[in-house]
Amino acid sequence: MPDHPLPPAPDPASDRRRLLFAFNCSLGFVLLLVVVAAMQARLPVAAMSVTPGTLAGLLGLLTAPLLHGSAAHLAANATALLILGTLAGSVYPRATLRALPLMWLGSGLGAWLLGEPGSHHLGASGVTHGLMFLVTTLGLLRRDRPSIAAGMIAMLFYGGSVLTVLPHGDGISWQSHLGGAIAGTVSALLFRRLDPLPPRKRYSWEIEEEEQALQAREERDTFELPPPRDVPVLWRRDEDDGRGHVLPFRPRTPPD
């Protein structure tokens, strides 16, 4: 048997619970957005959105991600939040929990700093960009199987969003996208070690190789002669008179 303990085996039940919890949290946030959208006609949308360069516009850092310009806008962000939120929350629950405030504020701060004066920025697309950059950056940094798989899924569905952090002239708030992307990347760098690496599956051929190496080491220790410094000396020749003196034999004491 190997001389070191085997790592714990993956727990599918725990993975399913974590996935379901992340999905339910993402779904709950989407339902909150739907409720806010239903009440949006009664809300001061302009005051709650991010208005670049104004002190009053800083309120939008907290409220703008809850607002949306149309049903299509809400549907696009809701789908992205469900997919990316479930990916991030199930693979990196601790990092995601700490990264969400940074991405929420970062998306609004990007719009407030870079947006054109007099414009209004709203929507959760900055947060979705932050989640996408968080998942893909953590996949590159950690490089374990779940991280790589999550990063590939994120790029498969939303890889095109990388281009939307660049200036657009079609009314898309690329400034909030850029702010969310920067916050997601910085969060990945800061929190990449918060979630422990998953246990790696061990295959039978790996265990057999370790057992063979251990057996070979035991055989070598059994049949090889000990080094000279470990051989007990029974007599020693005196250099002065050339006569030998018998020394008492003291068996080696085992090391502590």
Side-chain angles (χ1 to χ4, degrees):
M1 294 297 294
D3 55 353
H4 55 80
L6 299 178
D11 185 3
S14 177
D15 293 341
R16 285 193 296 269
R17 288 193 298 269
R18 191 165 60 248
L19 179 66
L20 183 61
F21 180 76
F23 175 78
N24 288 335
C25 290
S26 301
L27 181 61
F29 180 66
V30 168
L31 293 178
L32 174 63
L33 295 183
V34 172
V35 172
V36 173
M39 302 170 54
Q40 192 163 312
R42 303 183 184 91
L43 298 176
V45 176
M48 296 176 64
S49 60
V50 176
T51 305
T54 65
L55 291 177
L58 289 174
L59 174 64
L61 270 65
L62 302 176
T63 56
L66 300 174
L67 307 173
H68 288 83
S70 64
H73 187 200
L74 173 61
N77 284 337
T79 305
L81 286 169
L82 280 177
I83 295 176
L84 295 173
T86 302
L87 275 177
S90 59
V91 182
Y92 317 107
R94 298 177 183 176
T96 302
L97 183 62
R98 289 164 176 77
L100 277 174
L102 298 182
M103 295 183 292
W104 188 284
L105 297 176
S107 63
L109 190 60
W112 191 83
L113 291 174
L114 303 176
E116 296 182 1
S119 61
H120 298 280
H121 300 253
L122 49 81
S125 55
V127 178
T128 63
H129 279 67
L131 288 170
M132 202 280 291
F133 275 79
L134 174 73
V135 172
T136 53
T137 304
L138 283 175
L140 294 174
L141 293 175
R142 292 167 56 104
R143 290 177 290 184
D144 56 274
R145 290 183 180 179
S147 299
I148 294 174
M152 292 178 65
I153 294 173
M155 288 298 295
L156 176 65
F157 284 97
Y158 296 102
S161 62
V162 174
L163 299 178
T164 61
V165 303
L166 302 176
H168 280 67
D170 51 3
I172 296 177
S173 179
W174 63 268
Q175 297 93 339
S176 62
H177 296 176
L178 179 61
I182 293 175
T185 304
V186 171
S187 298
L189 295 172
L190 293 176
F191 308 133
R192 64 185 183 275
R193 294 189 178 91
L194 283 182
D195 296 283
L197 291 173
R200 188 177 70 86
K201 181 180 178 180
R202 295 172 59 83
Y203 297 95
S204 59
W205 59 268
E206 293 179 296
I207 300 176
E208 291 175 359
E209 286 184 353
E210 291 184 357
E211 292 177 347
Q212 292 174 359
L214 177 61
Q215 183 178 1
R217 186 164 62 250
E218 291 176 348
E219 293 177 353
R220 185 180 65 248
D221 295 341
T222 301
F223 297 107
E224 282 190 357
L225 294 176
R229 65 177 179 273
D230 293 338
V231 178
V233 178
L234 299 181
W235 65 278
R236 181 179 61 196
R237 184 178 298 277
D238 196 324
E239 296 180 356
D240 296 333
D241 56 11
R243 299 177 60 186
H245 299 274
V246 178
L247 302 177
F249 175 78
R250 294 184 178 88
R252 292 167 51 199
T253 57
D256 296 334

